[in-house]
Amino acid sequence: MKLQTKNLNLFSKTTLRHWKREPKNTLLLITVLALGVGVFLSIRLANRAAVSGFTLFTDSIAGESDFIVRAPIGDLPVSILPEIRDALGPLPVGIHPIIETTAARTAKTEASLYRLVGVDLVSLNNAVYLEAKSDHSKTSPPSNQPFDVKLGDSRLVLIGETMAASEGLKVGDVLPLILDDRRIELEISAILPNNPLRASIPENLILFDLPGLQKLIGKPDKISRVELKIPPGEDRQRILAETKKRLSEIAETQFAIDTPSNRESSAEQMTAAFRLNLTILSTLALIVGVYLIFQALEASVVKRRPEIAILRSLGVESWRIQRAWLFESLIIGMIGSAFGILLGYGMAQLAVGSIAMTVNTLYFENTTTAARLDSGEALFAFLFGLGSSLVAGAIPAREAAATPPSQSLKSGVRSMGLPILRKPIIGVVFVVAAIALSQLPPIRGAGDLRIPLGGYLGALFWLLGLSILAGLLFPTVRKVLMGFSSKNAPLKYAASQFRNPGGRHRLTAAGLLVAVGMAAGMAILVASFEHTLTGWIKNLLKADLYVATAGTSNIGNENLIREDTWKVVAARPEVEGVDIIRRQFIRIDGKETWLAGSVYNQNSDRRLRLIWVEKPTDPNPENLNLDLPNKTIPVWISETFGRRFSVGMDDTIELPIPDFEVTGTVKGIYADYGNERGMVVVHRDRIVTWFGDESVNNVAVYLNQGTDPETARTAFKKEFPNLVIRTNEKLRNESLTIFHRTFSVTYALEAIAIFVAVAGLGMALAGLLIDRKSELTTLKEIGFTRRQIATATLWEGLGLGIVGTLGGLILSLALGHLLIFVVNRQSFGWTLDYQIPLMSLLSLGALTIATSGIVAFCVGWFGAKLRREQEG
């Protein structure tokens, strides 16, 4: 008890007293830590929300199924249902056939997609006793009361309570939608209330009776999948095992057996690389924040040297003083991390929209609109922030304990800071280690996840190595400043500070170096991606007009252009030729990917040209319609497909075509930045033969020479009002807009990192002025004005800014190379052209240096006005 009382007295006499005297510095320190933790948490929450938005759309209605039966490609025939029932025999398994597709509210590229789901409403109602509001103004009926829907009607639908509320819909309202290339009108026959015992019904779910939706989309004998549900009970595990065994016996090549947990796991694996990279990026602000916390706590040691000397003189043990400083960093870490959790939750709501759009574009459809605060993620972020604060406070705490009273009472004694920052040889070792680590192959995770651990470690060692080597720039900066200081006393005084730079100088420069290096490194990645993507789009988009269904920016879009529509487009008199493509979702080795059948216009020199990673002997697409001597068919694959499935030139691929045995041989590998699942390309005639389906996903239209694209677009739109028709220029701009939206989170991270680093510079200079208070007194005595002291501090800040910025730009070149050729290639399999955005980097450097100068002048201006009691 006596020991605890001493510790509390020491805390109140030192830390609390300091916090009361310097509330602004303490608040800034807590704010910076909160910002770092907040950014870290917000990205993780937004990631989690975007992935959790992927769900089976009947889960909230029928309850989670135990098994899902799907075709390896395309739809299942209805005839599979009696086969499944016969195979299961007397087992008490609920069988729910489902058909689904998408529709859009308006004919726009980024229109909101609605998921149309057809289920057997009779069996579903008997299974789960769905409630429905036949009159939205009344209370819902008892849970065992069936809803009233005219079965088999393709116009009457049910929607969820959330959708009804958000869109102001009620029973009897008409809901117009764009399905494929035609407009349909649906009537709301019932509204399903949310059940607190089940997950809420997705906002974009529209429920049909199964025959009604089959009739509406022209597939009376097809279903998308079959969900099987086993009732609870003591025999449940036995029935589960027996069901899986019996399904496997009849599956063969007819269908694949899946589970909801596998689907969710597949979704997580699909976005794992994307989420991992965002998580790594979200630690940047926290890393820079650790530098700042270290600087602030070290400055606190310097400011309170007299207190430390008095405590030591009074017999307070060094370990007790060290513990007091660690306790201070612990309290700051707890408060900052707690506020960071609240800040992160708020920031996640802003970030989730951008990340969800990226997931929609690249991976799968999700319904995410908001992030929720996950207790596990919040605890992890709290401990991360707390640990960072303790690490940052450990060395200042040791310095506080080890400082002799005689040295503590001296003025002008500089803190040497981290000893490692004064050992360039260690920096060289770290750089060599970074280069070696970047050569390591990726670590394979679950599914097809590849973790570029060597790349991440290489980036860390580059960061540490150049943070140490940045100190070698101080002599050069000093010489430059001295060259202009012959008649400028403030400049000469500032240059003298770099003769033997102290620990705070080196640490401040290192913090700036990290922030600038990370921001500029991301700028190099973005510029390289944009340059590569622009070149890819330029080669890919050769046509004048592009015709597609609504919602084309969402990878979950399943709408198609029917045969009678696209053939009318192709036959118009102003059309020279068309490119058409039909994509099918397939599964190879349990992984989802795309099979595409294409036909390209060969009548124009403007024709589409793929960017080849490995070029075919003859790149004429008509060669895809020729069989090979080894009784296989030629296929082209995307670079990402080759990475995911470890397939290269002349390797064979077994294609899961129903009722066919098809083997493809890879005869070309092309670059594709449009999707990360990969794609196998065959001639479209094969798709028509295999599936008997003449519909297409989109049409690229080449107009006759001299035809104005905008005039033609207007005419097309008048004839086909339910299709999205864009000119070449508009499609290119939209593609780049989606690209920039994908990287919008990184832009915010760059700005935060720079803000934190410059704030650290200001705090460091403020500490240096306190450390040099006797020098400032002398300067005043010999006639230095307040403006001259501020000007001297300005030049000192500019010197630090120059060292940090130059080092950061050098670091950015190494980080950019790692991100492009190691992290990106190992994570995503994309080949990018390395580009240095010179103007962006110069602008970033100039802005950082100028901001450093402004902050330094302000610190000097206010620091020069020391109170007499502070000077003495």
Side-chain angles (χ1 to χ4, degrees):
M1 181 66 71
K2 192 172 183 181
L3 185 61
Q4 290 179 351
T5 302
K6 286 185 178 181
N7 288 332
L8 288 175
N9 287 335
L10 184 61
F11 176 72
S12 63
K13 297 295 185 182
T14 57
T15 301
L16 289 181
R17 181 168 172 267
H18 171 69
W19 287 356
K20 290 178 182 178
R21 293 179 60 184
E22 302 284 349
K24 292 181 180 178
N25 283 346
T26 304
L27 182 61
L28 177 62
L29 190 58
I30 291 173
T31 300
V32 168
L33 180 61
L35 190 61
V37 172
V39 170
F40 180 79
L41 177 63
S42 67
I43 300 299
R44 293 183 65 87
L45 290 180
N47 282 332
R48 178 180 285 269
V51 174
S52 66
F54 170 73
T55 182
L56 298 174
F57 285 86
T58 54
D59 280 357
S60 56
I61 302 170
E64 185 172 316
S65 302
D66 296 297
F67 295 105
I68 304 166
V69 173
R70 297 177 178 275
I73 183 170
D75 297 314
L76 288 167
V78 172
S79 59
I80 200 73
L81 294 174
E83 290 186 39
I84 293 176
R85 184 69 276 173
D86 290 343
L88 296 179
L91 292 176
V93 180
I95 301 176
H96 303 288
I98 292 169
I99 189 166
E100 61 179 318
T101 188
T102 57
R105 189 65 181 266
T106 57
K108 293 182 179 179
T109 307
E110 297 188 16
S112 297
L113 283 182
Y114 293 84
R115 178 64 58 174
L116 312 185
V117 177
V119 295
D120 184 349
L121 292 179
V122 174
S123 64
L124 192 62
N125 190 47
N126 292 336
V128 298
Y129 303 105
L130 280 176
E131 302 171 359
K133 297 182 181 180
S134 58
D135 185 340
H136 201 53
S137 63
K138 299 178 182 179
T139 58
S140 60
S143 62
N144 61 348
Q145 180 177 333
F147 46 77
D148 181 20
V149 176
K150 186 178 179 181
L151 301 179
D153 195 315
S154 60
R155 289 187 69 254
L156 298 179
V157 298
L158 300 87
I159 62 173
E161 191 172 36
T162 305
M163 177 179 172
S166 66
E167 301 195 18
L169 297 171
K170 60 183 183 298
V171 172
D173 283 354
V174 173
L175 178 63
L177 294 178
I178 305 297
L179 175 63
D180 294 334
D181 52 15
R182 57 199 169 100
R183 178 186 172 92
I184 62 172
E185 291 187 346
L186 306 176
E187 181 181 334
I188 310 299
S189 63
I191 296 174
L192 303 173
N194 290 327
N195 188 326
L197 301 180
R198 292 193 297 268
S200 60
I201 298 169
E203 187 173 336
N204 63 343
L205 173 66
I206 300 176
L207 196 63
F208 290 74
D209 188 33
L210 179 67
L213 185 54
Q214 288 175 316
K215 178 182 176 182
L216 183 66
I217 64 177
K219 294 182 177 181
D221 58 347
K222 299 290 184 181
I223 52 177
S224 302
R225 65 179 184 269
V226 181
E227 297 192 10
L228 293 89
K229 184 170 178 59
I230 297 170
E234 59 183 19
D235 287 339
R236 175 174 165 79
Q237 293 303 317
R238 180 187 65 81
I239 297 172
L240 277 170
E242 184 66 20
T243 299
K244 185 173 183 179
K245 177 185 175 183
R246 295 191 182 193
L247 288 175
S248 300
E249 289 174 352
I250 67 167
E252 297 181 352
T253 60
Q254 293 187 87
F255 57 80
I257 306 168
D258 211 341
T259 64
S261 60
N262 287 343
R263 293 281 290 163
E264 291 176 7
S265 175
S266 174
E268 290 187 0
Q269 291 175 17
M270 201 182 306
T271 59
F274 172 73
R275 292 181 291 116
L276 179 61
N277 279 289
L278 274 182
T279 300
I280 295 295
L281 289 174
S282 67
T283 62
L284 304 190
L286 200 57
I287 290 173
V288 180
V290 169
Y291 275 96
L292 180 56
I293 296 167
F294 181 86
Q295 288 176 184
L297 291 176
E298 187 193 41
S300 179
V301 171
V302 173
K303 283 183 181 181
R304 290 143 68 182
R305 276 177 177 163
E307 296 179 17
I308 296 172
I310 293 171
L311 291 172
R312 293 293 302 276
S313 301
L314 292 175
V316 177
E317 300 92 334
S318 60
W319 64 266
R320 198 183 300 280
I321 295 175
Q322 183 175 4
R323 180 179 291 182
W325 251 262
L326 279 175
F327 190 61
E328 180 174 335
S329 62
L330 175 69
I331 298 297
I332 289 173
M334 292 177 65
I335 298 173
S337 298
F339 278 111
I341 290 173
L342 298 178
L343 181 64
Y345 175 69
M347 294 169 69
Q349 309 309 320
L350 301 176
V352 70
S354 174
I355 293 176
M357 286 183 182
T358 302
V359 171
N360 270 335
T361 302
L362 293 179
Y363 301 101
F364 47 71
E365 181 184 1
N366 74 88
T367 57
T368 299
T369 57
R372 68 180 184 86
L373 185 60
D374 180 82
S375 58
E377 293 287 5
L379 179 62
F380 182 66
F382 180 86
L383 293 177
F384 194 10
L386 187 62
S388 299
S389 182
L390 285 172
V391 168
I395 294 178
R398 187 179 63 182
E399 183 178 350
T403 304
S406 58
Q407 182 178 336
S408 298
L409 291 173
K410 290 181 180 179
S411 297
V413 177
R414 294 192 178 189
S415 168
M416 291 296 103
L418 286 170
I420 194 174
L421 293 178
R422 308 181 70 86
K423 298 178 180 178
I425 187 62
I426 296 180
V428 173
V429 171
F430 281 168
V431 168
V432 172
I435 295 172
L437 287 166
S438 65
Q439 307 303 312
L440 295 177
I443 295 176
R444 288 190 173 271
D448 59 341
L449 174 63
R450 295 184 178 190
I451 303 173
L453 183 61
Y456 293 135
L457 291 176
L460 177 62
F461 276 87
W462 268 114
L463 184 152
L464 294 173
L466 291 184
S467 293
I468 296 170
L469 295 176
L472 299 177
L473 294 173
F474 281 114
T476 302
V477 171
R478 177 178 173 274
K479 288 180 181 178
V480 172
L481 293 179
M482 290 295 291
F484 294 97
S485 64
S486 58
K487 295 182 180 180
N488 190 320
L491 183 54
K492 184 175 291 187
Y493 176 72
S496 70
Q497 302 304 315
F498 298 126
R499 179 180 291 108
N500 183 26
R504 202 169 302 120
H505 283 104
R506 296 175 183 274
L507 192 62
T508 302
L512 273 175
L513 178 145
V514 172
V516 173
M518 290 176 171
M522 283 305 303
I524 290 174
L525 173 63
V526 173
S528 299
F529 212 131
E530 183 171 15
H531 179 270
T532 305
L533 191 68
T534 301
W536 175 67
I537 290 173
K538 185 177 180 181
N539 277 275
L540 195 67
L541 304 184
K542 294 289 188 178
D544 299 294
L545 296 179
Y546 292 87
V547 182
T549 58
T552 54
S553 66
N554 190 317
I555 201 167
N557 183 27
E558 298 172 14
N559 285 355
L560 299 169
I561 304 175
R562 294 172 299 169
E563 177 187 3
D564 56 352
T565 300
W566 74 259
K567 287 188 174 179
V568 172
V569 170
R572 286 182 64 95
E574 64 267 57
V575 175
E576 176 190 275
V578 297
D579 297 337
I580 56 177
I581 187 170
R582 176 67 162 93
R583 291 187 301 272
Q584 291 276 2
F585 212 46
I586 64 174
R587 297 174 66 139
I588 298 177
D589 297 334
K591 302 173 187 176
E592 295 176 337
T593 186
W594 293 100
L595 173 67
S598 302
V599 172
Y600 301 115
N601 172 44
Q602 298 295 301
N603 299 327
S604 171
D605 290 337
R606 298 172 290 150
R607 60 181 176 269
L608 174 147
R609 289 177 173 84
L610 296 174
I611 297 178
W612 295 105
V613 177
E614 294 194 48
K615 191 174 182 179
T617 305
D618 183 355
N620 186 339
E622 287 303 312
N623 290 331
L624 291 175
N625 210 17
L626 303 175
D627 291 342
L628 297 173
N630 61 356
K631 297 183 180 181
T632 66
I633 66 170
V635 301
W636 296 341
I637 64 171
S638 67
E639 183 183 18
T640 48
F641 182 94
R643 174 189 67 86
R644 289 189 69 203
F645 295 91
S646 300
V647 175
M649 285 289 282
D650 296 319
D651 288 343
T652 57
I653 306 169
E654 297 297 327
L655 299 177
I657 309 302
D659 304 322
F660 291 90
E661 292 184 2
V662 178
T663 302
T665 299
V666 178
K667 288 300 179 182
I669 303 175
Y670 65 95
D672 181 6
Y673 305 97
N675 84 85
E676 200 186 320
R677 295 181 181 185
M679 187 176 292
V680 181
V681 178
V682 300
H683 197 280
R684 181 179 171 274
D685 289 353
R686 299 188 189 276
I687 294 287
V688 175
T689 301
W690 294 339
F691 300 100
D693 185 359
E694 291 273 6
S695 59
V696 299
N697 292 93
N698 48 57
V699 182
V701 178
Y702 297 81
L703 300 172
N704 294 324
Q705 292 291 339
T707 305
D708 178 54
E710 193 58 48
T711 302
R713 193 197 76 85
T714 302
F716 274 57
K717 190 65 180 175
K718 186 176 181 180
E719 185 173 356
F720 309 104
N722 299 320
L723 291 174
V724 176
I725 302 169
R726 292 163 290 179
T727 62
N728 187 301
E729 181 181 5
K730 184 174 178 61
L731 182 56
R732 289 187 185 194
N733 292 337
E734 287 179 357
S735 300
L736 291 174
T737 297
I738 292 173
F739 162 77
H740 285 295
R741 184 187 297 145
T742 301
F743 283 95
S744 61
V745 174
T746 66
Y747 301 144
L749 291 175
E750 292 172 19
I752 290 171
I754 296 296
F755 165 78
V756 171
V758 173
L761 180 141
M763 293 185 70
L765 287 174
L768 285 169
L769 290 179
I770 296 296
D771 197 18
R772 302 199 300 257
K773 58 187 177 183
S774 60
E775 293 182 16
L776 294 182
T777 302
T778 303
L779 291 175
K780 288 182 179 181
E781 295 291 340
I782 63 175
F784 262 59
T785 65
R786 184 181 184 185
R787 177 173 293 277
Q788 286 179 309
I789 293 175
T791 302
T793 309
L794 161 67
W795 285 112
E796 188 174 353
L798 286 174
L800 288 170
I802 290 170
V803 171
T805 300
L806 286 178
L809 293 178
I810 295 171
L811 174 63
S812 72
L813 300 178
L815 291 182
H817 187 276
L818 271 176
L819 289 170
I820 292 167
F821 295 111
V822 180
V823 174
N824 168 74
R825 186 170 290 175
Q826 292 183 2
S827 295
F828 302 103
W830 288 334
T831 299
L832 303 180
D833 297 327
Y834 186 80
Q835 294 291 314
I836 299 176
L838 190 59
M839 290 306 299
S840 295
L841 298 190
L842 291 177
S843 299
L844 174 64
L847 179 63
T848 303
I849 293 171
T851 306
S852 299
I854 293 171
V855 170
F857 183 85
C858 294
V859 169
W861 181 264
F862 290 104
K865 194 179 180 182
L866 294 170
R867 297 189 299 271
R868 282 293 170 186
E869 59 269 24
Q870 286 179 305
E871 294 178 354

